[in-house]
């Protein structure tokens, strides 16, 4: 059993299933126990969707005004710092719920609300996606062991001086201790895919150029890029409705990139085919073949000549 649901006295190094086609361990993850909802002091402003089934439709512009952008810079920097703090806590023997605690407490201590907590009833303050989990893993009693990889996706919602609150969204995939070379390569290529997608951002181009370069880079490495989970516009809304594809989706997703647009680029890269299934929890997305997958995410603003990443610590 490779993922125990109660912490062992010492980190275990359990036997694993034999490797997948690409040479990294095949996954055997099972849902753990989800702990109680963490509380946020009443003094911290919540996004409008908390306590509702779904967010209100966003009707604003995809170009973010300067005052909103200034607030986003603060939220994005906070999210980046929170991600780094959680990353420092990724060690063999830690539970994904403990990572949730670290991220939650970091954001709350800074006066921010963890955007995922209560988003469409998501129960935790960040997402932890282990090994074959593509995205939206729910932190639980799962114990990370040496050789695992885990993506941590954290979003900060911040209200500054009573102005409309803004979100900053970022994620990264971390190695738990020493990992096999194929998983290392997967993590590297996933990061490169995000970086190349960001580098392709230019005013006047269509957003589908981003997916085209991401998918190309993944394929050159022999990997896949998941189509159905995309980047998104972000500002006062967590997901504004603007879709940023991670595969070549032309002629769809032909929105023209404009200076001042704020959106995420967050490709999910798979060792095997980029096809997936979902657990009954309605959130956890896994590769269909249980081979590993990795993701990186930044929030950016479009400049006159390219993109500026906002989720930098
Ligand atoms: N942070 C994720 C994103 O990049 C969204 C997570 S929504 C949740 O868009 F409900 F799953 F947490
Ligand atoms: Co996002
Ligand atoms: Co995110």
């Amino acid at each position: 059993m490779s993922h125990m649901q109660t912490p062992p006295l010492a980190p275990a190094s359990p036997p694993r299933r034999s490797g997948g086609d690409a040479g990294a361990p095949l996954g055997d993850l099972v849902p753990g126990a989800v702990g109680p909802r963490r509380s946020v002091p009443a003094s911290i402003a919540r996004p409008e969707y908390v306590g509702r089934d779904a967010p209100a439709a966003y009707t604003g512009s995809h170009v973010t005004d300067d005052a909103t952008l200034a607030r986003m810079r603060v939220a994005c920097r906070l999210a980046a710092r929170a991600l780094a703090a959680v990353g420092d806590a990724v060690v063999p023997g830690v539970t994904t719920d403990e990572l949730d605690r670290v991220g939650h407490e970091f954001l709350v201590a800074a006066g921010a609300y963890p955007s995922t907590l209560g988003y469409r009833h998501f129960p935790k303050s960040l997402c932890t996606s282990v090994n074959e989990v593509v995205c939206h893993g729910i932190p639980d009693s799962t114990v990370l062991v040496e050789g695992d990889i885990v993506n941590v996706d954290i979003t900060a919602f911040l209200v500054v001086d009573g102005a409309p609150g803004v979100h900053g969204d970022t994620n990264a995939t971390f190695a738990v201790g020493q990992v096999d070379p194929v998983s290392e390569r997967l993590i590297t290529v996933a990061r490169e895919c995000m970086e190349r997608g960001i580098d392709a951002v230019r005013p006047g181009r269509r957003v589908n150029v981003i997916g085209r370069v991401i998918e190309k880079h993944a394929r050159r490495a022999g990997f896949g890029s998941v189509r159905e989970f995309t980047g998104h516009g972000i500002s006062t809304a967590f997901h504004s409705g603007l879709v940023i594809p991670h595969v070549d989706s032309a002629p769809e997703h032909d929105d023209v990139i404009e200076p001042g647009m704020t959106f995420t680029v967050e490709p999910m890269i798979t060792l095997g085919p980029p096809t997936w299934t979902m657990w009954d929890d309605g959130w956890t997305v896994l590769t269909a073949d249980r081979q590993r997958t990795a993701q990186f995410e930044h929030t950016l603003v479009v400049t006159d000549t390219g993109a500026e990443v906002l989720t930098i610590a």
Side-chain angles (χ1 to χ4, degrees):
M1 180 169 75
S2 39
H3 289 92
M4 277 149 284
Q5 302 315 328
T6 44
L9 292 173
S13 312
R16 292 211 175 254
R17 270 195 228 170
S18 57
D21 299 341
L26 265 189
D28 57 1
L29 200 71
V30 291
V34 179
R37 190 189 176 100
R38 297 198 147 82
S39 64
V40 178
S43 57
I44 293 178
R46 282 129 173 85
E48 53 78 24
Y49 53 74
V50 175
R52 303 176 185 273
D53 288 342
Y58 177 77
T59 54
S61 173
H62 297 309
V63 173
T64 299
D65 64 78
D66 290 348
T68 305
L69 179 61
R71 303 197 303 282
M72 279 187 75
R73 289 181 182 284
V74 183
C76 286
R77 191 178 312 124
L78 208 51
R81 288 178 181 165
L83 179 64
V86 177
D88 287 345
V90 173
V91 290
V94 76
T95 65
T96 53
D97 189 63
E98 170 65 8
L99 300 181
D100 182 76
R101 186 190 67 75
V102 171
H104 179 93
E105 289 182 1
F106 190 101
L107 289 184
V108 164
Y113 184 93
S115 303
T116 62
L117 185 63
Y119 178 78
R120 297 182 184 272
H121 303 294
F122 190 85
K124 289 287 166 180
S125 300
L126 47 77
C127 301
T128 48
S129 300
V130 179
N131 296 339
E132 69 269 31
V133 178
V134 171
C135 61
H136 303 165
I138 300 172
D140 63 15
S141 58
T142 299
V143 177
L144 298 179
V145 300
E146 175 109 16
D148 282 342
I149 63 174
V150 61
N151 177 277
V152 175
D153 190 344
I154 189 159
T155 310
F157 176 78
L158 188 67
V159 173
V160 181
D161 293 336
V166 292
H167 300 266
D169 188 8
T170 185
N171 77 50
T173 301
F174 300 95
V176 183
Q178 209 40 50
V179 305
D180 67 90
V182 173
S183 297
E184 279 285 1
R185 175 93 187 114
L186 173 66
I187 290 173
T188 298
V189 171
R191 184 194 297 277
E192 290 170 352
C193 283
M194 175 193 66
E195 290 169 347
R196 284 173 184 242
I198 292 170
D199 287 346
V201 172
R202 293 250 199 300
R205 290 182 174 171
R206 298 179 187 277
V207 296
N208 54 30
V209 72
I210 298 166
R212 193 171 314 129
V213 305
I214 288 170
E215 187 175 32
K216 252 202 187 118
H217 189 64
R219 287 181 104 107
R220 265 196 299 270
F223 300 159
S225 181
V226 176
R227 174 181 296 268
E228 295 82 5
F229 297 90
T230 68
H232 50 93
I234 181 170
S235 57
T236 56
F238 191 173
H239 299 100
S240 71
L242 174 67
V243 168
I244 307 298
H246 298 135
V247 297
D248 187 357
S249 58
E252 282 182 62
H253 304 305
D254 60 351
D255 304 82
V256 175
I257 297 171
E258 292 179 60
M261 278 182 164
T262 47
F263 56 79
T264 72
V265 176
E266 49 179 304
M268 285 136 273
I269 306 303
T270 57
L271 285 182
T275 52
W276 51 272
T277 57
M278 192 185 276
W279 277 347
D280 295 345
D281 60 18
W283 285 109
T284 309
V285 177
L286 306 96
T287 58
D289 67 358
R290 300 302 194 268
Q291 289 203 78
R292 289 184 172 192
T293 169
Q295 181 183 21
F296 286 85
E297 174 177 29
H298 274 311
T299 298
L300 61 80
V301 59
V302 179
T303 66
D304 289 338
T305 54
E308 179 190 351
V309 172
L310 299 175
T311 38
I312 298 280

